[in-house]
Amino acid sequence: MLKGIIPAVVTPFKEDRIDLTVFEKLLNFLIDKGVSGLFIAGTNGEGPLLSKEEKKLLFKSAVEIVKGRVPVIAQIGEITTKETIEVGESAVDAGVSGVAIVSPFYFKLEDSALKRHFVSVADALKPIPVYLYNLPGNTGNTIKPSLARAIMEEADNVKGIKDSSKDLQTLEDFIYELGPDKDVIVGTDSLILPALLMGAKGAISALANPLPELCVGVYNDFLSGRIEDSREKQFILNRIRTITKQFSSISALKAMLRLRGIDVGSVRLPLGEVTPEQEEVLKKILKELGYL
């Protein structure tokens, strides 16, 4: 089910409350630009900073706004298995197309504990499609390719994985271990084209929020066999990513969206904001790309 460019959708705030009016405007903007799905309440959606009620509101609103035009994937991972199931049930009730589960964080878990966690959540949410989310740099817990395969052998509704390890060898191992029937999606903007060349089915992308045309272009050029065009767009993405990673990266995404006419507000504390000088750099990038 997962393929193409899927933005890791930022969460719009107004005075620290979710702004559903802007959320609708943002989702329609992304769909109009050709994205293949929407990933809600992930890292770039400030998921760990959202309450369970806020996540429930986002899931329900996304489904109502999208009206089946593209898949809506809800990121439901929490620090406990019980809470993850609770958030997952709210996503299922909202009518999402599938759920993604980031590894539990803070406590270091053995593979057996991780397997028990993911299988328990998947079983509780059957038959909805479930996707693992490997984010070792943030969670401290790694989903190994062999572990992913073991989880999928035990829980048949686990359909694939988002790999944000930033490591091409790990990504290739997922593709090899899981085979063509499972969806392996890269979660790093700088690796979209390399991942596609290796056999990944698409990307869950942060920069697809303010730059959906560019990210979709990398994917569509690849599908059409225009590898050199895809490569040129990937180089542009890489340069932009290098710049935004020097700033408060989620705030940079929101600043670029604001410059493009979609005011998604500020990030939630304790995340930092871009400075006026940094926003000028982002404005220059958008002008050079022809988006302003």
Side-chain angles (χ1 to χ4, degrees):
M1 181 178 69
L2 287 190
K3 64 179 182 178
I5 299 300
I6 302 165
V9 181
V10 300
T11 299
F13 292 116
K14 185 175 184 180
E15 298 177 353
D16 204 40
R17 296 172 64 88
I18 292 174
D19 190 330
L20 292 180
T21 300
V22 176
F23 189 55
E24 180 173 8
K25 183 177 181 180
L26 174 60
L27 297 191
N28 285 327
F29 165 75
L30 295 171
I31 293 171
D32 288 346
K33 297 299 182 183
V35 304
S36 299
L38 299 164
F39 193 80
I40 308 297
T43 305
N44 290 286
E46 301 172 65
L49 304 181
L50 300 173
S51 70
K52 295 180 184 65
E53 284 303 312
E54 286 176 320
K55 291 177 184 178
K56 182 177 180 179
L57 176 63
L58 282 176
F59 301 154
K60 182 175 183 293
S61 299
V63 170
E64 291 174 350
I65 293 164
V66 171
K67 295 182 173 64
R69 288 176 287 172
V70 297
V72 173
I73 307 300
Q75 200 297 110
I76 64 169
E78 299 283 340
I79 197 168
T80 71
T81 304
K82 180 180 178 181
E83 289 174 305
T84 302
I85 291 172
E86 179 185 336
V87 175
E89 288 172 341
S90 73
V92 172
D93 290 344
V96 300
S97 310
V99 300
I101 313 170
V102 75
S103 301
F105 42 91
Y106 190 83
F107 294 105
K108 186 67 177 175
L109 301 176
E110 298 176 349
D111 284 357
S112 58
L114 284 171
K115 180 182 177 185
R116 185 166 60 248
H117 170 75
F118 286 116
V119 170
S120 296
V121 176
D123 283 347
L125 300 181
K126 279 185 176 179
I128 196 166
V130 171
Y131 296 88
L132 308 178
Y133 180 3
N134 186 40
L135 187 63
N138 291 53
T139 66
N141 286 305
T142 300
I143 305 171
K144 300 170 186 172
S146 58
L147 174 59
R149 177 165 47 81
I151 292 166
M152 293 176 191
E153 286 173 351
E154 195 160 324
D156 60 7
N157 58 322
V158 180
K159 303 297 186 182
I161 187 165
K162 174 191 177 185
D163 177 44
S164 294
S165 67
K166 303 178 184 177
D167 183 79
L168 273 177
Q169 182 62 61
T170 298
L171 182 76
E172 184 179 16
D173 289 344
F174 277 122
I175 293 168
Y176 177 79
E177 285 276 358
L178 302 182
D181 294 335
K182 300 297 183 181
D183 298 336
V184 177
I185 303 291
V186 71
T188 305
D189 283 307
S190 60
L191 298 179
I192 296 175
L193 179 57
L196 293 172
L197 288 166
M198 294 171 100
K201 295 185 180 177
I204 294 175
S205 163
L207 283 171
N209 281 279
L211 304 173
E213 304 95 331
L214 190 57
C215 297
V216 170
V218 173
Y219 179 73
N220 287 345
D221 284 345
F222 169 79
L223 282 188
S224 300
R226 298 188 297 270
I227 302 302
E228 186 58 33
D229 291 341
S230 181
R231 180 171 162 271
E232 289 178 6
K233 291 180 176 70
Q234 181 68 71
F235 281 161
I236 294 170
L237 272 180
N238 291 358
R239 288 196 292 272
I240 296 169
R241 182 179 182 273
T242 298
I243 292 168
T244 60
K245 287 297 180 181
Q246 296 171 15
F247 305 163
S248 176
S249 57
I250 299 175
S251 182
L253 300 175
K254 290 190 165 185
M256 285 192 281
L257 277 167
R258 197 159 51 242
L259 289 164
R260 294 201 69 181
I262 303 176
D263 188 352
V264 291
S266 302
V267 290
R268 177 166 278 179
L269 291 173
L271 297 179
E273 294 284 356
V274 295
T275 66
E277 293 78 15
Q278 290 169 339
E279 187 159 331
E280 281 301 311
V281 172
L282 299 173
K283 186 175 182 180
K284 182 181 178 182
I285 290 171
L286 292 175
K287 282 184 175 179
E288 289 175 352
L289 292 172
Y291 297 144
L292 290 181

